[in-house]
Amino acid sequence: MAITLRRKSKSKPSPDAMTLGEHLAELRTRLIISVAAFAAAAIVVFIVYSHVLHFLQAPYCRIVPKGQCVLYVTGPLDPLSLRIHLATYGGLVLAGPVILWQFWRFVTPGLKRNEKRYVIPFIAASILLFCAGAVLAYFTFPHALKFLNAIGGPTLHDIYNPNSYIGLIVALMFVFGITFEFPVVLVSLELAGVLTPKRLSSWRRWAIVLITIVAAVITPSGDPFSMLALALPLYFFYEVSIVVGKLLRRNR
């Protein structure tokens, strides 16, 4: 009687067949990499703190006379607090691509084969759009400061605390960056079948109203210039999402 011997397969199980324990172990690895990337980036920003502060202070310097671009601390711990805050903000920005990549690597095994081909384009688009939003906020910030300075009347003299000033400009850049992810979200919903280009086209009037309201509510500075600078690109992205959705449906 012939006996057939079968070798045990030494191939690793596919990610789709991972157990709960293996998923948790992978999640731990992704989190460790993300935290390490953030810590390294924060240390770098902490070291080059003066350059980062000068960069963020530049919009204020554009609207005041030369030699008067000064930020005043009001407490002995303010300089240390400012440096830590800048290191935290900068660490998140510099480590953002690594963190986003680790997130996508964690969720990719759960995606279908035809969905995985969109991962790299979506990551690239997310990073580029976030940077574009932050850059737009940076260059529109002087106009926001002029509005905020003028609205109080000519009898008020501005003495800015660096923590308040940095908090406002960073918040504005973050809000613009996050809202610029709007087209990525819309296209993702179109790929998932939740939305269709036809439905988005029929909602165009309501979209204009909602985009204007959202831009007015979430703009940290509250000035009309920044609100308009945010609302116009969002509506443009809405129209682009409709066009991209139609192209993707044709290529499927």
Side-chain angles (χ1 to χ4, degrees):
M1 181 171 55
I3 300 176
T4 304
L5 297 177
R6 295 182 179 178
R7 290 185 177 181
K8 293 184 178 180
S9 176
K10 294 183 180 180
S11 60
K12 295 181 179 179
S14 65
D16 299 329
M18 292 173 66
T19 64
L20 177 60
E22 290 171 333
H23 275 295
L24 292 176
E26 184 183 5
L27 176 60
R28 181 182 61 185
T29 302
R30 303 296 176 195
L31 288 175
I32 291 174
I33 295 174
S34 299
V35 171
F38 164 73
I43 292 173
V44 171
V45 177
F46 191 88
I47 295 172
V48 298
Y49 154 80
S50 59
H51 299 284
V52 178
L53 179 60
H54 177 74
F55 172 77
L56 294 177
Q57 195 175 347
Y60 174 52
C61 296
R62 295 194 191 105
I63 64 170
V64 297
K66 190 175 181 180
Q68 297 183 20
C69 183
V70 181
L71 300 176
Y72 295 89
V73 296
T74 56
L77 294 178
D78 282 356
L80 176 61
S81 174
L82 177 64
R83 192 159 189 160
I84 292 175
H85 285 161
L86 278 182
T88 303
Y89 299 145
L92 287 174
V93 171
L94 293 181
V98 177
I99 296 173
L100 189 61
W101 175 253
Q102 294 302 318
F103 170 77
W104 277 110
R105 289 287 294 170
F106 179 72
V107 302
T108 297
L111 300 176
K112 297 178 182 178
R113 180 174 297 179
N114 64 330
E115 295 173 337
K116 292 181 180 180
R117 60 179 177 173
Y118 298 114
V119 172
I120 300 298
F122 268 67
I123 292 177
S126 299
I127 294 174
L128 290 176
L129 286 171
F130 184 90
C131 293
V135 169
L136 179 62
Y138 179 82
F139 284 105
T140 59
F141 191 60
H143 299 280
L145 284 179
K146 285 183 180 179
F147 172 82
L148 295 174
N149 291 343
I151 200 170
T155 59
L156 297 181
H157 296 278
D158 304 312
I159 297 179
Y160 289 155
N161 179 285
N163 283 295
S164 300
Y165 171 83
I166 295 299
L168 179 59
I169 187 173
V170 169
L172 194 67
M173 293 172 69
F174 179 77
V175 167
F176 270 61
I178 290 296
T179 51
F180 267 48
E181 303 295 332
F182 183 50
V184 176
V185 175
L186 287 182
V187 173
S188 299
L189 292 175
E190 287 178 298
L191 286 174
V194 178
L195 294 175
T196 62
K198 184 178 180 180
R199 185 174 298 177
L200 289 176
S201 299
S202 65
W203 290 348
R204 184 175 280 111
R205 292 182 179 178
W206 285 106
I208 295 174
V209 176
L210 288 176
I211 286 173
T212 304
I213 294 174
V214 169
V217 171
I218 68 175
T219 303
S221 60
D223 66 289
F225 188 89
S226 297
M227 184 202 75
L228 191 63
L230 181 61
L232 289 178
L234 288 183
Y235 178 68
F236 172 74
F237 290 149
Y238 188 86
E239 295 292 343
V240 170
S241 300
I242 296 175
V243 175
V244 173
K246 290 179 180 179
L247 293 176
L248 292 176
R249 289 171 70 90
R250 289 177 185 173
N251 294 332
R252 274 187 163 184

